[in-house]
Amino acid sequence: MIKLFTSPDPFLLQSVKSELDALSIPYLVKNEFAGGAMGELPWQESQPELWLIDESWSARANKVVSSLMDSHEPAEQFPWVCSNCDEPNGEAFDTCWKCGESRP
């Protein structure tokens, strides 16, 4: 067995699992439910991991992960800046969290 993928992002992990399932690539999920132990365990040991059961699938599985990682664009941390106080604000904010100015 070899470790294929790990991520703190559950949606990205599920995407990889779904693609592997669609291609009938055998894998094993370790630490799937260990998130509740975070704090008791180091964070590195409580993240879910995907492991390939059969290493002969390695090349194909790595292509799946690479293509998903290439298409996965992390959300921009601060998509807009307040015109009143120059405070960076997240996409979810329609008004500035610092001064209350409306989003442009």
Side-chain angles (χ1 to χ4, degrees), residues 24-37:
S24 299
I25 297 175
Y27 65 89
L28 172 75
V29 180
K30 290 186 177 181
N31 302 332
E32 189 169 11
F33 304 107

PDB file of all heavy atoms in Angstrom, residues 24-37:
ATOM      1  N   SER A  24     -12.949   2.574 -10.764  1.00  0.00           N
ATOM      2  CA  SER A  24     -12.773   1.279 -10.075  1.00  0.00           C
ATOM      3  C   SER A  24     -11.339   1.059  -9.596  1.00  0.00           C
ATOM      4  O   SER A  24     -10.810  -0.048  -9.656  1.00  0.00           O
ATOM      5  CB  SER A  24     -13.205   0.125 -10.988  1.00  0.00           C
ATOM      6  OG  SER A  24     -14.555   0.251 -11.323  1.00  0.00           O
ATOM      7  N   ILE A  25     -10.728   2.129  -9.109  1.00  0.00           N
ATOM      8  CA  ILE A  25      -9.382   2.036  -8.542  1.00  0.00           C
ATOM      9  C   ILE A  25      -9.531   1.723  -7.058  1.00  0.00           C
ATOM     10  O   ILE A  25     -10.166   2.484  -6.322  1.00  0.00           O
ATOM     11  CB  ILE A  25      -8.598   3.343  -8.760  1.00  0.00           C
ATOM     12  CG1 ILE A  25      -8.410   3.596 -10.266  1.00  0.00           C
ATOM     13  CG2 ILE A  25      -7.252   3.290  -8.055  1.00  0.00           C
ATOM     14  CD1 ILE A  25      -7.751   4.908 -10.607  1.00  0.00           C
ATOM     15  N   PRO A  26      -8.957   0.612  -6.593  1.00  0.00           N
ATOM     16  CA  PRO A  26      -9.126   0.232  -5.187  1.00  0.00           C
ATOM     17  C   PRO A  26      -8.289   1.103  -4.247  1.00  0.00           C
ATOM     18  O   PRO A  26      -7.102   1.310  -4.468  1.00  0.00           O
ATOM     19  CB  PRO A  26      -8.652  -1.225  -5.157  1.00  0.00           C
ATOM     20  CG  PRO A  26      -7.726  -1.348  -6.311  1.00  0.00           C
ATOM     21  CD  PRO A  26      -8.174  -0.371  -7.339  1.00  0.00           C
ATOM     22  N   TYR A  27      -8.939   1.602  -3.206  1.00  0.00           N
ATOM     23  CA  TYR A  27      -8.259   2.448  -2.227  1.00  0.00           C
ATOM     24  C   TYR A  27      -8.820   2.179  -0.837  1.00  0.00           C
ATOM     25  O   TYR A  27      -9.855   1.523  -0.675  1.00  0.00           O
ATOM     26  CB  TYR A  27      -8.419   3.928  -2.585  1.00  0.00           C
ATOM     27  CG  TYR A  27      -9.844   4.423  -2.519  1.00  0.00           C
ATOM     28  CD1 TYR A  27     -10.366   4.939  -1.340  1.00  0.00           C
ATOM     29  CD2 TYR A  27     -10.680   4.347  -3.624  1.00  0.00           C
ATOM     30  CE1 TYR A  27     -11.673   5.374  -1.274  1.00  0.00           C
ATOM     31  CE2 TYR A  27     -11.982   4.778  -3.567  1.00  0.00           C
ATOM     32  CZ  TYR A  27     -12.478   5.293  -2.384  1.00  0.00           C
ATOM     33  OH  TYR A  27     -13.781   5.717  -2.312  1.00  0.00           O
ATOM     34  N   LEU A  28      -8.129   2.725   0.143  1.00  0.00           N
ATOM     35  CA  LEU A  28      -8.525   2.608   1.537  1.00  0.00           C
ATOM     36  C   LEU A  28      -8.449   3.992   2.152  1.00  0.00           C
ATOM     37  O   LEU A  28      -7.522   4.751   1.853  1.00  0.00           O
ATOM     38  CB  LEU A  28      -7.561   1.658   2.272  1.00  0.00           C
ATOM     39  CG  LEU A  28      -7.687   1.541   3.771  1.00  0.00           C
ATOM     40  CD1 LEU A  28      -8.918   0.715   4.118  1.00  0.00           C
ATOM     41  CD2 LEU A  28      -6.454   0.882   4.342  1.00  0.00           C
ATOM     42  N   VAL A  29      -9.422   4.345   2.979  1.00  0.00           N
ATOM     43  CA  VAL A  29      -9.401   5.633   3.666  1.00  0.00           C
ATOM     44  C   VAL A  29      -8.966   5.390   5.105  1.00  0.00           C
ATOM     45  O   VAL A  29      -9.576   4.609   5.821  1.00  0.00           O
ATOM     46  CB  VAL A  29     -10.785   6.315   3.644  1.00  0.00           C
ATOM     47  CG1 VAL A  29     -10.730   7.658   4.364  1.00  0.00           C
ATOM     48  CG2 VAL A  29     -11.283   6.486   2.230  1.00  0.00           C
ATOM     49  N   LYS A  30      -7.899   6.071   5.505  1.00  0.00           N
ATOM     50  CA  LYS A  30      -7.442   6.010   6.893  1.00  0.00           C
ATOM     51  C   LYS A  30      -7.782   7.333   7.576  1.00  0.00           C
ATOM     52  O   LYS A  30      -7.799   8.379   6.936  1.00  0.00           O
ATOM     53  CB  LYS A  30      -5.925   5.791   6.964  1.00  0.00           C
ATOM     54  CG  LYS A  30      -5.478   4.426   6.540  1.00  0.00           C
ATOM     55  CD  LYS A  30      -3.986   4.272   6.781  1.00  0.00           C
ATOM     56  CE  LYS A  30      -3.505   2.879   6.443  1.00  0.00           C
ATOM     57  NZ  LYS A  30      -2.077   2.739   6.697  1.00  0.00           N
ATOM     58  N   ASN A  31      -8.059   7.276   8.851  1.00  0.00           N
ATOM     59  CA  ASN A  31      -8.361   8.455   9.676  1.00  0.00           C
ATOM     60  C   ASN A  31      -9.616   9.192   9.225  1.00  0.00           C
ATOM     61  O   ASN A  31      -9.737  10.389   9.446  1.00  0.00           O
ATOM     62  CB  ASN A  31      -7.179   9.441   9.682  1.00  0.00           C
ATOM     63  CG  ASN A  31      -5.908   8.835  10.181  1.00  0.00           C
ATOM     64  OD1 ASN A  31      -5.909   7.916  10.981  1.00  0.00           O
ATOM     65  ND2 ASN A  31      -4.791   9.338   9.682  1.00  0.00           N
ATOM     66  N   GLU A  32     -10.535   8.486   8.609  1.00  0.00           N
ATOM     67  CA  GLU A  32     -11.730   9.137   8.087  1.00  0.00           C
ATOM     68  C   GLU A  32     -12.534   9.840   9.184  1.00  0.00           C
ATOM     69  O   GLU A  32     -13.097  10.903   8.969  1.00  0.00           O
ATOM     70  CB  GLU A  32     -12.616   8.128   7.364  1.00  0.00           C
ATOM     71  CG  GLU A  32     -13.758   8.769   6.629  1.00  0.00           C
ATOM     72  CD  GLU A  32     -14.487   7.809   5.708  1.00  0.00           C
ATOM     73  OE1 GLU A  32     -14.256   6.584   5.784  1.00  0.00           O
ATOM     74  OE2 GLU A  32     -15.291   8.286   4.903  1.00  0.00           O
ATOM     75  N   PHE A  33     -12.563   9.270  10.361  1.00  0.00           N
ATOM     76  CA  PHE A  33     -13.351   9.843  11.451  1.00  0.00           C
ATOM     77  C   PHE A  33     -12.486  10.311  12.611  1.00  0.00           C
ATOM     78  O   PHE A  33     -12.967  10.485  13.724  1.00  0.00           O
ATOM     79  CB  PHE A  33     -14.380   8.817  11.937  1.00  0.00           C
ATOM     80  CG  PHE A  33     -15.271   8.331  10.828  1.00  0.00           C
ATOM     81  CD1 PHE A  33     -15.129   7.058  10.305  1.00  0.00           C
ATOM     82  CD2 PHE A  33     -16.226   9.170  10.277  1.00  0.00           C
ATOM     83  CE1 PHE A  33     -15.939   6.614   9.277  1.00  0.00           C
ATOM     84  CE2 PHE A  33     -17.035   8.743   9.243  1.00  0.00           C
ATOM     85  CZ  PHE A  33     -16.897   7.459   8.739  1.00  0.00           C
ATOM     86  N   ALA A  34     -11.208  10.550  12.353  1.00  0.00           N
ATOM     87  CA  ALA A  34     -10.281  10.945  13.416  1.00  0.00           C
ATOM     88  C   ALA A  34     -10.314  12.441  13.701  1.00  0.00           C
ATOM     89  O   ALA A  34      -9.678  12.898  14.643  1.00  0.00           O
ATOM     90  CB  ALA A  34      -8.858  10.511  13.059  1.00  0.00           C
ATOM     91  N   GLY A  35     -11.051  13.218  12.906  1.00  0.00           N
ATOM     92  CA  GLY A  35     -11.111  14.661  13.125  1.00  0.00           C
ATOM     93  C   GLY A  35     -11.600  15.034  14.512  1.00  0.00           C
ATOM     94  O   GLY A  35     -11.201  16.049  15.069  1.00  0.00           O
ATOM     95  N   GLY A  36     -12.453  14.208  15.083  1.00  0.00           N
ATOM     96  CA  GLY A  36     -12.949  14.472  16.429  1.00  0.00           C
ATOM     97  C   GLY A  36     -11.892  14.323  17.503  1.00  0.00           C
ATOM     98  O   GLY A  36     -12.060  14.812  18.609  1.00  0.00           O
ATOM     99  N   ALA A  37     -10.793  13.680  17.168  1.00  0.00           N
ATOM    100  CA  ALA A  37      -9.710  13.490  18.137  1.00  0.00           C
ATOM    101  C   ALA A  37      -8.647  14.572  18.028  1.00  0.00           C
ATOM    102  O   ALA A  37      -7.646  14.527  18.746  1.00  0.00           O
ATOM    103  CB  ALA A  37      -9.077  12.120  17.944  1.00  0.00           C
TER     104      ALA A  37
END
